[in-house]
Amino acid sequence: MPPRIPCRAHRAACPTPTAAVRCRTRLQQTRFASTSASAPEIYDVVCVGGGPAGLSLLAGLKASPTTCGLKVALIEGQDIQKNRLPKDASVVGFSNRCSSLTPASVRNLQEIGAWRHANASRIQPYQEMQVWDGVSDARISFDWDTARSLGPRKPTQPTTIAYMIENVNTVSALLGRLEELGGVDMFASTKVDAIELGTDTEQLDLSSWPVLSLSNGKSLAARLLVGADGANSPVRTFAGIASRGFDYSRHGVVATLDLSTAGWGGPDHKIAYQRFLPSGPIAMLPMPGNFATLVWSTTPERAATLKSLAPNDFAAMVNAGFRLSPADLEYLHTLPSGQAEEVAWREKHTPTNERGLPVRVTDVQAGSVASFPLRMRHADTYTGERVALVGDAAHTIHPLAGQGLNQGQGDAAALVRTISHAVQTGQDIGSTLALESYNEARYAENNAMLGVCDKLHRLYSVESGPIVGLRSLGLRAVDAMGPLKGFFMNRAAGGV
Amino acid sequence: MAAPLKRPASSWICAPSKVLTHSVRLPCSYRCFSVLNRPQPSYEGHIPLTRTERLGLALGSGLISFLDPRRGDLIAAFGEATAQPYFINHLRNRMLLNPTGRRILRDRPRLTSTSLNIPRLRLLPKNTVGHVYTEWLDREGVSPDTRAQVRYIDDEECAYVMQRYRECHDFYHALVGLPVFREGEVALKAFEFANTGLPMTGLAVFSALTLKKGEWRRFWDIYGPWAARNGAQCDDVINVYWEEELETDVDELRSRLGIEKPPDLRELRRAAREARKKEKAAREAAAGAAV
């Protein structure tokens, strides 16, 4: 086993880790010298991927007094500045990639000081959620009023279920915070050409360290390499960690919708809606003003049909998705056009309670209709020797509970705690021993959430038969039992 | 203590509305459905029933129509009482999935002797659907105007589906060439059950138990298997727009739907009767010879 390079506790005043490495290697003068063209630059933490999870991790590290002395680098393949929200962004055009941030994620962003950098006028908290079965119409409503345990609601209890935010707004907020904190070497528009283990040279032994060769010719050695590089993570491949799972053979169709009004609860009481159709759930989530974002999980064929529709037909299909029977929807997807007229006729013969449904979609923002394949993936472990995985690199989840981005935020926060603890106790932050607590804190929790979402998807894919009756009975029972509903809401909110 | 007493009575009756939040709260006029408080009919001639009433209607009409199958009104009531809540919706969904079925639901055509113009149909070439239909009407001595109005189906569109099924019933007879008396009716009902899934048609097959021995044998050997096979395999007959098929060749329509024509029941009965007569005559002759 190669000698481990010790890492002292890094306080703001302590010598930089690179200095620590040098002083240690001077003692190894007797080692056989080998020539190396250019020694890699040594970093404590190298994060590959500048998405919400990776940026949250770096902001967390830099915001904590314990870990702010670490030398960190960020490598992102795309131009970070180009993907930022413009400062004067008007509150009209919303991106179609939005996420629902749980109160736990928001609290974490507040703690690391990023939340105040977000564009608040483009964030929409919502206070109620209506979920129902597209086959039986069994319904459950989530709001903290009906989910109270016993007695009246305390004024201190939260009323917000979650916050709808564009992913670009989250990323911009985190970048704003990182700029404020400083001290992160950003390699934007830079690709990682290769990751391999370093060599054992005269000066220092990097044989257990991942060394990254970048497209700009630089080479970085990482005490801890963090993979925040998405579902097809090169870091995970380098670490030899298998990611298991399957494809749902479903696509998520996203779009930004124009609504006829701000919603049944007005601008101060926004409501999210989700209807479970046998092909997958359709969800409409509120955005500021008369806007909403759509996430419609459906078969790839139907997703292709939806994407090919004219705006008025697409809007009619979304209205139909919340109102018409699965049989009607099945037929509507076979038409090449003319859905608006067909839906208008069918709505006359489909009795609905409009108060329980989202307000009508009047239009869809041009160019906002897109789709992505839905997958379920889970890495065997989140940590390896000098490697940790966060966010989508570690797990990919069905979007039906809106948990994907929140899991990544939870990972980042947990990894910050783990690194912080390792620094405080003088451990090598890249050692498997130090990283163990990160895997322990997140794996089981993420696995449970992945499992629940997967089972819900399966349960609601059933179109008819006794399962429909049983699941409807169960849904109504949970709806009637306030404390039990409160428990589920707590879990979905990230255990507030 | 006084405060709760001031609440409107509806909030006591409809306890579930308390757990609904203000966004989905039901209107104050909402009352639970009971004999004392019948909701408005949702279409002309509609009679809303409570569950108990529906059960009573199903049992009563089922029993009497089993004992006396000529009570068409009770068979109709039995069909309506047992078709809800699942089966009629299922049949409507099958119509909604088919372009022609959707067109029927949109146009809502009604089949009557005036809308069909029976004298014109008689003039159509032989072997067209219209001609075969009138031939069948004349042979069986029935009229398309004898169909009762649907009253007990709650959804107005499902009520139309029931009405349509009922009015098309004679066309099914003509299509497969089965007569109206008990034996032919049972065979057609078995076919319809396999095709439409309406419980009344399935339960009507039980009246096969009241058939005579020879009829039962024919049902068991020929018509029952034919009905099960064809009903399950062929396209939904509810999705045939009969008004547009009147001039189609009936064999072509049958092959398009995937239906084989069963052996002519009247012919079989005549043959059986003659065989019996011959046998009887032979027996009498033998008896006479013996004496």
Side-chain angles (χ1 to χ4, degrees), chain A residues 124-450:
Chain A
Q124 181 61 60
Y126 59 90
Q127 289 77 24
E128 185 180 338
M129 190 157 185
Q130 294 281 336
V131 180
W132 69 103
D133 189 326
V135 179
S136 71
D137 274 339
R139 185 179 279 259
I140 187 166
S141 73
F142 293 106
D143 62 294
W144 289 110
D145 272 342
T146 62
R148 62 172 175 251
S149 320
L150 290 166
R153 193 174 70 83
K154 291 184 219 74
T156 50
Q157 271 179 303
T159 56
T160 299
I161 289 182
Y163 300 79
M164 284 309 298
I165 182 170
E166 297 157 289
N167 290 359
V168 62
N169 200 354
T170 316
V171 167
S172 301
L174 288 163
L175 282 172
R177 176 62 175 154
L178 279 178
E179 270 165 20
E180 188 183 58
L181 290 164
V184 177
D185 292 347
M186 298 240 192
F187 298 94
S189 313
T190 308
K191 299 236 164 11
V192 176
D193 284 340
I195 311 173
E196 44 209 6
L197 286 176
T199 46
D200 188 358
T201 63
E202 189 185 325
Q203 278 93 32
L204 74 172
D205 177 10
L206 291 177
S207 59
S208 79
W209 286 44
V211 175
L212 297 93
S213 316
L214 303 187
S215 59
N216 61 6
K218 281 205 167 156
S219 139
L220 317 180
R223 185 185 295 282
L224 172 62
L225 175 62
V226 178
D229 42 357
N232 301 316
S233 166
V235 171
R236 193 184 61 223
T237 312
F238 158 75
I241 299 170
S243 178
R244 292 165 212 280
F246 45 84
D247 292 1
Y248 281 110
S249 71
R250 291 283 189 282
H251 279 230
V253 177
V254 292
T256 308
L257 308 168
D258 293 6
L259 306 181
S260 55
T261 66
W264 292 108
D268 302 324
H269 183 95
K270 287 271 192 170
I271 307 166
Y273 297 91
Q274 178 150 305
R275 185 187 189 202
F276 279 96
L277 293 166
S279 54
I282 174 171
M284 193 189 287
L285 301 142
M287 293 304 285
N290 295 2
F291 296 97
T293 188
L294 172 83
V295 187
W296 190 345
S297 310
T298 189
T299 59
E301 301 80 47
R302 289 192 185 189
T305 310
L306 287 172
K307 281 197 285 182
S308 71
L309 294 178
N312 66 327
D313 284 336
F314 185 86
M317 281 302 275
V318 176
N319 286 328
F322 285 99
R323 289 169 176 82
L324 299 188
S325 69
D328 261 325
L329 289 169
E330 190 178 332
Y331 180 81
L332 286 168
H333 280 95
T334 63
L335 297 178
S337 65
Q339 276 84 355
E341 201 270 322
E342 193 79 11
V343 170
W345 164 57
R346 286 312 302 162
E347 282 188 357
K348 281 189 270 176
H349 300 290
T350 311
T352 50
N353 172 18
E354 282 293 321
R355 293 286 292 185
L357 298 174
V359 294
R360 275 169 198 282
V361 177
T362 53
D363 201 5
V364 56
Q365 266 177 35
S368 73
V369 184
S371 74
F372 56 94
L374 303 188
R375 298 194 171 103
M376 145 100 178
R377 291 278 190 283
H378 204 185
D380 285 352
T381 172
Y382 296 169
T383 57
E385 180 71 23
R386 307 206 173 278
V387 170
L389 304 174
V390 294
D392 283 359
H395 41 70
T396 312
I397 192 170
H398 194 291
L400 65 85
Q403 292 291 341
L405 195 125
N406 295 298
Q407 285 187 319
Q409 295 299 303
D411 292 347
L415 188 53
V416 169
R417 279 195 297 277
T418 295
I419 294 173
S420 178
H421 182 259
V423 169
Q424 273 172 338
T425 52
Q427 298 179 72
D428 177 355
I429 60 167
S431 75
T432 44
L433 192 68
L435 292 171
E436 184 59 38
S437 68
Y438 164 61
N439 196 48
E440 198 183 336
R442 294 302 297 169
Y443 191 89
E445 191 178 327
N446 285 338
N447 199 47
M449 189 59 87
L450 282 162

Side-chain angles (χ1 to χ4, degrees), chain A residues 95-130:
Chain A
S95 150
N96 57 8
R97 297 296 165 99
C98 298
S99 297
S100 155
L101 280 182
T102 60
S105 297
V106 170
R107 206 180 40 203
N108 176 48
L109 288 174
Q110 282 166 344
E111 276 166 12
I112 65 176
W115 190 243
R116 64 174 190 274
H117 289 268
N119 185 337
S121 62
R122 298 174 73 90
I123 300 172
Q124 181 61 60
Y126 59 90
Q127 289 77 24
E128 185 180 338
M129 190 157 185
Q130 294 281 336

Side-chain angles (χ1 to χ4, degrees), chain B residues 122-135:
Chain B
R122 289 210 176 87
L123 302 176
L124 285 173
K126 232 173 146 48
N127 219 36
T128 57
V129 171
H131 187 84
V132 170
Y133 174 64
T134 48
E135 216 175 49

Side-chain angles (χ1 to χ4, degrees), chain A residues 32-86:
Chain A
F32 183 78
S34 69
T35 52
S36 70
S38 63
E41 196 175 352
I42 290 178
Y43 282 89
D44 288 314
V45 177
V46 174
C47 178
V48 182
L55 292 176
S56 181
L57 171 79
L58 295 183
L61 288 175
K62 281 289 156 193
S64 154
T66 325
T67 50
C68 67
L70 296 178
K71 187 176 175 187
V72 299
L74 171 72
I75 301 158
E76 165 59 47
Q78 289 182 323
D79 184 357
I80 287 178
Q81 300 303 326
K82 224 172 80 180
N83 292 336
R84 281 181 80 165
L85 205 60

